[in-house]
Amino acid sequence: MSTFLHRVAHWAFRRRRTVVLVWVAVLAAVFLGAANSSEAPEDSASLPGIESQQAFDLLDERFPGTEADGAQARVVFVAADGQQITSTANRSAVDTLVDEVAHGPQVAGATSPFDAHAVSEDASTAYATITYRTTAEDLTEASKEALTEAVEHARDAGLTVEVGGSALETEPAQGIGEVLGILVAAAVLLITFGSLAAAGLPLLTAVLGVGISLATITALGSALGFSSTVGELAMMLGLAVGIDYSLFVVSRYREERAKGHQAQEAAALAVGTAGSAVVFAGLTVVIALLGLSVVGVPTLTKMGIGSAGTVLVGVLIALTTVPALLGFWPDAVLPRRDREGPRRTRSRRPGRFGRNRTWTWNWNRQGTTPAGTARTPWGVRWARFVTRRPVAVLLLTVVGLGALAVPSLNLRMGMPGAESKPTTTTERRAYDALADGFGPGFNGPLTVVVDVKGADDPAAAVTGVSDRLADIEGIVSVSPPHFNEAKDTAVVSAVPSTGPAGERTQDLVRTIRDERPVIESATGAEFQVTGTTALNIDVGRKMQDALVPYLAVVVGLAFLLLMVVFRSILVPVKAALGFLLSVGAALGAIVTVFQEGHGAGVFGVEETGPIMSTMPIFLVGIVFGLAMDYQVFLVSRIREAHIHGEQPGQAVVTGFRHSAQVVGAAALIMMAVFGGFMTGGESMVKMVGFGLASAVFFDAFVVRMAFVPAVLALLGKRAWWLPGRLDRLLPRVDVEGEALTRRAPAPDDASGDDDRRESVTA
């Protein structure tokens, strides 16, 4: 592998104009395709294989002309203090709004609260239901404006009017995540490299890769069903890994130049060594992303495919475009002291009249102090500390991360609704008004679809189902049935006594489904339960059922890959255990903030509740791939030092000397990119950004910087043990570049003596 990539980098360096022109041509082609492509589809909520989805499909089949997920608006009216909504003036204002909206475009029906008995017991609150013939995404601006104008007219009459439902759903405030991430990344790169060119090159290549990937996703959006969400995730991951991969190659290039290699050979060695790590790190990310298809959720599958393609583009650019750009400006990315030649520091000697007339020039090329004493990097000091106290560090790491993971045992999954929106939105105010007027369960009614196609008396069968549902403890009311034209299907709405996110409501859904065989046997009708609460239960169960096979596939494939890379059994096991610690701690942090509310105000979370159902498996997939990035980059340098003859403890120190600072910078960049998405107004986006940023922190700075060196120090040479038969069967990929070292030994002037001195008398 290293030899092949060495040749690729040599070619890219020599043919740099060709390489750059090819990538520019690719960018232009995909942008042209994106400009001429059809509009990307909206995110599909379809989840095959769950009861809630089957109920929606039955509604679409039995109620033709309407869509089960059609847009709906629930207009909530609240009378002024001391008044009733049923007073003559207020009633007139409500009826006027209903009549005005009923004749609007795309409206399927508008039901007055006085006809539907939708008035609270104290007559302070009422609601009107507006249904549309199309989905919320297909509503025209004319339809939305007609509803908005009618609402304003009712407010002018003195009523408090809020609108819930999907028709006028407020778009979340756009954050500055991408801009903030790039700015922080630029600052981190500038501090790490001390060179504008070295900081700008990873940013340039990352933006190029993201541009190509997003344009490709847009161009293929209509054909493959890639929605805007696929592009958002691809952009987030593309920026993070694109910067990181180029960062590692540039860092290794500077190291090889410091050893005395010429620019072309240094670029080839950088790609042959660090580039090999980039390839296998990228493969682990791709495995984790493509593994999302195991879950069986179409949206997650498409997100995984789109993001995996973005990672592959980032790998290819790091292997070809980076050495090509280094060919244009071979010295620009070097530290200033190396671009300007050896730095000379002066020490004075006494001369006539007490003046210093003689100067001693100290050559300093590798960051040594003027006195010639090298400053020990923080990574080396930390590695020495860990290798001297491996047991204490290991215990502290495991106990600390384990304690952070404890709250994840209380994880409750669901899909955030209007209750998680800011109080500044009309949906949230409508939600609160309905809860105050009709009870907390009114915002999460259970939709029961009754199939009476095989019943002798359909009407009596539906009535029997409704009566049995009303007798179940926890149900406040059951609405009159609504039949389709064929009279073979009816829809009944059952209102629970508790809120949609409450555990008692989830228990109620399970109770109804458990009693279904008895009810169906007594009535001769079949029914299915759907609605927000039922959907949350079904999705959560589907995610839990898919988590184990997903982990088995992803961890199994990655284990084999890491075993090939490191030629060890214990190192991949250690990597998997460390990953589980970091993911557990990240999930615990998410539960602590977003579910239990501790520190929620700091992150702008106004309402706590269940964790998004797809969050755990999504977090596992993304973080596993990124965690293996740090594993490959860090441990490959440790193994490189070990196979070159160093003892295990010293190899750990050497590996940290060369990679700790770069891994830390890469982690800070990823945290900035992910954390920047918390500046948006959507609670779900904040949750994703917080979860990924915290997981990267735990994995990079706790697991890889403390857990990994402690375990390697305790294992010693046993860490690199591999059975002889397996050693002969596994292919040799030479990530460490051992073959390159044999072919091209380091120049004589890179022997490590970086403090040559030349005395000059002035």
Side-chain angles (χ1 to χ4, degrees), residues 272-361:
T273 52
S276 298
V278 166
V279 170
F280 285 97
L283 284 178
T284 58
V285 180
V286 169
I287 288 173
L289 292 170
L290 293 181
L292 289 172
S293 59
V294 176
V295 181
V297 178
T299 300
L300 284 180
T301 299
K302 293 171 184 176
M303 291 169 67
I305 293 174
S307 301
T310 303
V311 173
L312 286 177
V313 171
V315 170
L316 292 175
I317 286 180
L319 299 179
T320 57
T321 307
V322 170
L325 293 178
L326 291 174
F328 285 108
W329 302 283
D331 296 332
V333 300
L334 301 179
R336 177 174 296 181
R337 62 177 180 269
D338 291 340
R339 296 198 304 271
E340 296 176 353
R343 187 173 64 183
R344 296 175 296 182
T345 60
R346 300 179 291 182
S347 61
R348 299 184 176 187
R349 295 180 180 176
R352 287 183 305 171
F353 309 110
R355 295 187 178 183
N356 299 315
R357 302 296 305 274
T358 305
W359 308 84
T360 299
W361 301 91

Side-chain angles (χ1 to χ4, degrees), residues 440-462:
F442 192 80
N443 285 295
L446 306 177
T447 302
V448 182
V449 183
V450 186
D451 184 358
V452 290
K453 202 168 189 178
D456 297 332
D457 188 346
V462 173

Side-chain angles (χ1 to χ4, degrees), residues 181-195:
I182 291 177
L183 290 177
V184 175
V188 172
L189 289 170
L190 187 59
I191 294 172
T192 302
F193 285 138
S195 164

Side-chain angles (χ1 to χ4, degrees), residues 235-279:
M235 177 174 59
M236 184 165 59
L237 284 177
L239 281 175
V241 302
I243 293 174
D244 281 3
Y245 293 163
S246 298
L247 167 65
F248 282 105
V249 174
V250 172
S251 176
R252 188 62 182 255
Y253 171 79
R254 285 158 54 104
E255 184 181 327
E256 297 299 335
R257 286 295 303 273
K259 292 178 180 178
H261 290 293
Q262 295 300 313
Q264 183 171 337
E265 180 61 19
L269 288 173
V271 174
T273 52
S276 298
V278 166
V279 170

